[in-house]
Amino acid sequence: MQNPTRKQSISQASFLQKNPLAIGIALSCLLPAANAIPLSSTLNPNQQAVSNAMSACFDVYYQAENTIPTICDAGTMTSNLQSLTPDQIFGMGSMATRVNGGKITQPSDYFRLKRKNRYGGGAGDDDFSRLGFWAKTDNDFGSISTTPNLAGFKFDNHNFVFGADYRLQDNWVVGSSFAYRHNNASFAAGRGETVNDSYTGNLYTTYNITEALHVDATAAYGGYSYETTRNINLVGIGSSVAKGSPTGGQYAFSWGGGYDFNLKALTIAPYARGEYSNLDIDGYSETGSVAAVRFAKQNIESLTSTVGIQTAYTFSFPWGVLIPQLRGEWHHQYFDGRPQIQASFVTDPTGQVFTLSGAGPSRNYYTFGAEVSSVLPGGVSAFLAYETLQGYTSIDSNKLMLGARLEF
C-alpha cells in the first residue's frame, strides 16, 4: 500500500481535472511540514481499517490514471473517516446481550406456587385455581458511553409480555408466554439510530421438589427485524443517510433453582440460574448513500451464570397481603467476546473488505432490584419493580416493571 502523503502529491493536471476532490488533497501537501499530521496518528482501529480499504481502492485507480470512485477519494480525507466508519453496527449486539445484563425475558414467577404459610392470615389466602393468566410490561432506559473506538448511544426499550400457565400438580406448573419488544438506540453526535422489533415465544416450567426447594427452566425463540439509519456528512460531497433493514432470529434457554427459608413473615431465598442465547443477524446492504455499506452476517452468543438472593416480608391486611422485596445478583459472562464484523462499501468497485472490531464485555457485573407485590382475594395479584445494572463498563441501564396475574 502506498503512503497517503505520496498519493496526495498528484502532479498530472488532467488527472486532477477528473478528480476534483484530489485537488484539495494535493493542496494540503503544500502546507508547512510542521502542521502536517500523519493520517494514522489520528485514527482509531476501525477508522484505520476503513482508511486502509479506501487507500487500496485509491491505489488501483491512481496507478491506472483512471477516474477515482467518489467513495475511495473521500476515504483518503481524515475529516471524512468518522462518518464513513460504520461502528454503529455494534449497537445490535449490545442491545441483545449487554444493556439487560444478558438476561433472557422470564415469565412472571412472583405469584406461582405461593404457599399460605408465606402470606400470613390475610384475605389473600384464598386457594388459587390451577389455571392462571398474567401480563407484564417493562421499560429499559439508559446509555452506553462513547469511547475513543466506538460510538455511544442512548436507549429506550419497551417490552410487553402475556402468558398463561397450568398447575399440573400442586408442586408443578407449566406455561407459555408471548413477548413483543421494541428497542430504540439513538447514537451520540446525531450519527443515526437503530430500531428493533422482536416477537418471542417462550415455554417454561417450575417444579417444587419440597415446600422450599424448587427448580425451573425456560426455552424461547424469537424473530428480529431492524431499521438502521446512519447520518453521513462528507467534505466535498455533502450529507446523506444510509439505511438498512436486516432481520435475524434468536433462541435461548435458561435453567435454575432456589431455596426459600421461611421465618414466619420473612422469606430469604438464595438462588442460582444459567442463561444461554444465540442471536443470528443476516448479512445486509444499506441504501441511500454513496457511503452505504455491505455487512456480513453476525452471530452474538451469550452464556451467563447468576447467583442471587431475594428477601421478602409479608404484611397481612383484611383486604389481602402486601409483600415488599429486595434482590441482589452477581452475573458472570462466559461468551460474548470482542465482536468482529466484515464489511465493504457498496459503491467501491474493487470490493475492498475491512474488519470492524467491537469492545469486549465486562465479565462480572451486578443487578439490584426492589419490588412490592400484592395478593388480593379472588386470585388477583400485581407487582411493581425497579432494577439497575451495576459494574458493567460504559453502560448505565435501568428497568421499571409492572405486572398482574389472574387465576380462575
Side-chain angles (χ1 to χ4, degrees), residues 251-281:
Y251 59 88
F253 306 95
S254 73
W255 56 93
Y259 193 93
D260 295 347
F261 294 94
N262 297 310
L263 308 172
K264 296 184 178 180
L266 175 66
T267 299
I268 301 174
Y271 56 90
R273 183 175 66 248
E275 298 179 83
Y276 173 81
S277 66
N278 190 301
L279 171 63
D280 282 319
I281 302 176

Side-chain angles (χ1 to χ4, degrees), residues 341-398:
I341 302 171
Q342 289 191 323
S344 60
F345 286 101
V346 174
T347 59
D348 173 10
T350 66
Q352 300 292 329
V353 175
F354 53 91
T355 300
L356 300 168
S357 298
S362 292
R363 292 299 177 190
N364 296 283
Y365 50 92
Y366 309 88
T367 53
F368 300 98
E371 174 192 325
V372 60
S373 59
S374 62
V375 183
L376 306 174
V380 178
S381 308
F383 77 91
L384 175 66
Y386 169 77
E387 184 176 277
T388 180
L389 175 66
Q390 298 293 322
Y392 207 115
T393 303
S394 301
I395 295 181
D396 173 31
S397 181
N398 305 274

Side-chain angles (χ1 to χ4, degrees), residues 114-341:
K114 287 193 180 292
R115 304 298 185 180
K116 288 184 180 181
N117 61 4
R118 293 184 60 184
Y119 290 153
D125 285 359
D126 297 344
D127 286 325
F128 288 178
S129 64
R130 294 186 179 274
L131 178 65
F133 296 90
W134 57 271
K136 72 170 183 175
T137 180
D138 56 68
N139 173 218
D140 293 304
F141 56 95
S143 63
I144 293 184
S145 301
T146 297
T147 68
N149 294 335
L150 293 173
F153 59 86
K154 293 182 179 180
F155 60 88
D156 187 16
N157 307 332
H158 301 273
N159 189 42
F160 305 91
V161 190
F162 305 90
D165 49 52
Y166 187 78
R167 185 178 286 110
L168 297 175
Q169 300 175 8
D170 286 347
N171 62 340
W172 187 14
V173 166
V174 295
S176 64
S177 64
F178 174 79
Y180 164 70
R181 187 174 183 86
H182 177 80
N183 298 336
N184 181 277
S186 298
F187 290 92
R191 296 187 61 200
E193 67 176 2
T194 295
V195 177
N196 163 231
D197 291 298
S198 63
Y199 305 86
T200 302
N202 187 35
L203 300 175
Y204 60 90
T205 184
T206 294
Y207 185 82
N208 269 63
I209 299 172
T210 67
E211 185 78 15
L213 178 64
H214 67 89
V215 293
D216 49 58
T218 70
Y221 181 81
Y224 285 62
S225 62
Y226 295 88
E227 295 292 334
T228 68
T229 58
R230 291 192 304 116
N231 298 326
I232 299 166
N233 186 16
L234 302 177
V235 175
I237 297 174
S239 300
S240 60
V241 179
K243 299 180 179 180
S245 300
T247 58
Q250 176 178 269
Y251 59 88
F253 306 95
S254 73
W255 56 93
Y259 193 93
D260 295 347
F261 294 94
N262 297 310
L263 308 172
K264 296 184 178 180
L266 175 66
T267 299
I268 301 174
Y271 56 90
R273 183 175 66 248
E275 298 179 83
Y276 173 81
S277 66
N278 190 301
L279 171 63
D280 282 319
I281 302 176
D282 297 332
Y284 69 100
S285 296
E286 297 175 320
T287 60
S289 172
V290 68
V293 173
R294 182 184 298 109
F295 296 99
K297 181 179 180 179
Q298 301 177 61
N299 178 260
I300 298 103
E301 194 175 26
S302 172
L303 175 63
T304 62
S305 62
T306 296
V307 176
I309 188 168
Q310 179 168 290
T311 61
Y313 195 90
T314 300
F315 294 93
S316 185
F317 300 95
W319 49 264
V321 296
L322 192 67
I323 311 171
Q325 302 177 49
L326 295 174
R327 181 177 67 257
E329 297 178 335
W330 164 57
H331 310 276
H332 182 79
Q333 173 65 259
Y334 298 90
F335 293 172
D336 187 24
R338 184 182 299 274
Q340 291 191 325
I341 302 171

